[in-house]
């Protein structure tokens, strides 16, 4: 029954995802007439999802406050202070947006769908595409770390990445020999995953498992939830985890730190292997809180969107947002995440 369900539902899910990815951004609303002199905004609060360690994000984004205030002043808004925090989890950022304790949040599509009743899409992030995009995991294991291309992409994939432990090597070797992994192969491994609202760190890997085995991450025998991808990588390098799940450019971003920061004993391309690749996932976003008083002003939201687009187009801005593996922004649309909604609804129905 489960296999028949997968055969019917997954083509629909894939179509929704592809339609979303091709839809592009929406046209921004026209700004209101400029007031006489800049309008004072006492405070703007921004919450970042834990894409990396808190201290790394805090250091990388420190220059953003001055850039953002300067841009907004040009657009007629004198923001007195910009407060930036890193959430303890992806869910915590969604909860902050829902409560209005954060005005803006850098969040995943999965997190947005969960909290979309209380937040809206401002911008969708752009990323550089990488040079591997096959759904065949063996094609990713050519001994080279994935490289960014010059093309922009509005989607990415999630990968199942096996490490240097005995079990991890066994799984990679089986994939490279052309054999199919069994549920028993995967269930006998230890996994490190992100929270259940993370698209690449939980939702799409669960759907990958369901499509092939009729089971999800929740059915695995040994799963540890990580607070960030760097934590997952440290667990993989040390052998505490045999498999981690995350975005497809994970090695692109962290290969230089594999040995120096995570404890790897050889280059990352040699010690890790991709054993599974999911369907495409629409990019992360900058979302705004519908319960925030400041965000109730549509003209201010437009000015914010324009400011981030302009900052993302500068070398200084791109250096800042590179900590999120982002290279710019375009106007977002709620409809772009309908594929994510379908994914979450399917996952929920399978786990009920």
């Amino acid at each position: 029954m489960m296999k028949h369900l997968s055969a019917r539902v997954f083509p629909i899910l894939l179509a929704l995802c592809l339609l979303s990815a091709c839809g592009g951004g929406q046209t921004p609303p026209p700004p209101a007439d400029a007031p006489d002199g800049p309008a004072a905004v006492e405070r703007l609060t921004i919450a970042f999802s834990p894409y990396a360690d808190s201290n790394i994000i805090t250091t990388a984004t420190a220059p953003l406050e001055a850039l953002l205030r300067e841009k907004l002043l040009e657009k007629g808004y004198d923001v007195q202070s910009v407060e930036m925090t890193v959430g303890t989890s992806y869910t915590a950022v969604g909860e902050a947006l829902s409560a209005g304790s954060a005005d803006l949040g850098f969040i995943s599509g999965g997190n947005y769908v969960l909290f979309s009743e209380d937040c809206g899409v401002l911008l969708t992030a752009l990323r550089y595409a990488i040079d591997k995009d096959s759904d065949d995991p063996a094609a990713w294991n050519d001994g080279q770390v994935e490289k960014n291309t010059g093309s922009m992409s509005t989607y990415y994939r999630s990968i199942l990445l096996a490490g240097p432990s005995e079990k991890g090597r066994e799984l990679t070797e089986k994939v490279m020999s052309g054999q199919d992994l069994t549920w028993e192969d995967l269930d006998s491994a230890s996994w490190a995953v992100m929270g259940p609202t993370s698209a690449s760190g939980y939702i799409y890997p669960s759907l990958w498992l369901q499509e092939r085995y009729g089971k999800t991450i929740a059915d695995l025998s040994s799963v540890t939830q990580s607070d960030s991808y760097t934590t997952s990588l440290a667990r993989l390098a040390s052998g505490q985890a045999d498999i981690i799940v995350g975005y497809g450019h994970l090695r692109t971003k962290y290969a230089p730190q594999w040995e120096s920061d995570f404890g790897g004993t050889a280059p990352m391309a040699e010690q890790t292997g991709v054993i599974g690749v999911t369907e495409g996932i629409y990019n992360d976003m900058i979302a705004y809180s519908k319960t925030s008083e400041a965000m109730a002003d549509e003209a201010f939201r437009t000015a914010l969107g324009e400011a981030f687009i302009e900052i993302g187009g500068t070398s200084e801005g791109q250096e800042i947002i590179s900590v999120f593996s982002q290279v710019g922004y375009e106007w977002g649309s709620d409809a772009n995440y309908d594929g994510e909604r379908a994914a979450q609804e399917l996952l929920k129905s399978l786990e009920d």
Side-chain angles (χ1 to χ4, degrees), residues 41 43-47 81 83 96-97 100-105 119-120 122 286-296 300-301 304:
V41 178
R43 181 177 62 182
L44 178 67
T45 57
I46 303 175
S81 70
E83 296 182 3
L97 288 168
S101 56
D103 301 312
L104 293 178
C119 64
L122 183 65
I286 300 178
Y288 67 89
S289 170
K290 293 179 181 178
T291 58
S292 157
E293 184 176 344
M295 293 298 101
F300 182 52
R301 294 203 308 269
L304 272 170

Side-chain angles (χ1 to χ4, degrees), residues 29-99:
D33 294 336
D36 295 331
V41 178
E42 181 179 351
R43 181 177 62 182
L44 178 67
T45 57
I46 303 175
F48 303 116
S49 293
Y51 299 104
D53 287 344
S54 175
N55 63 322
I56 294 175
I57 294 177
T58 299
T59 301
T61 57
L64 181 59
E65 176 178 0
L67 289 175
L68 193 54
R69 290 181 65 193
E70 179 182 350
K71 282 292 183 185
L72 288 171
L73 189 60
E74 293 174 4
K75 300 177 186 304
Y77 293 93
D78 185 7
V79 179
Q80 302 301 305
S81 70
V82 178
E83 296 182 3
M84 300 181 292
T85 60
V86 181
T88 56
S89 68
Y90 283 74
T91 303
V93 177
E95 289 171 344
L97 288 168
S98 183

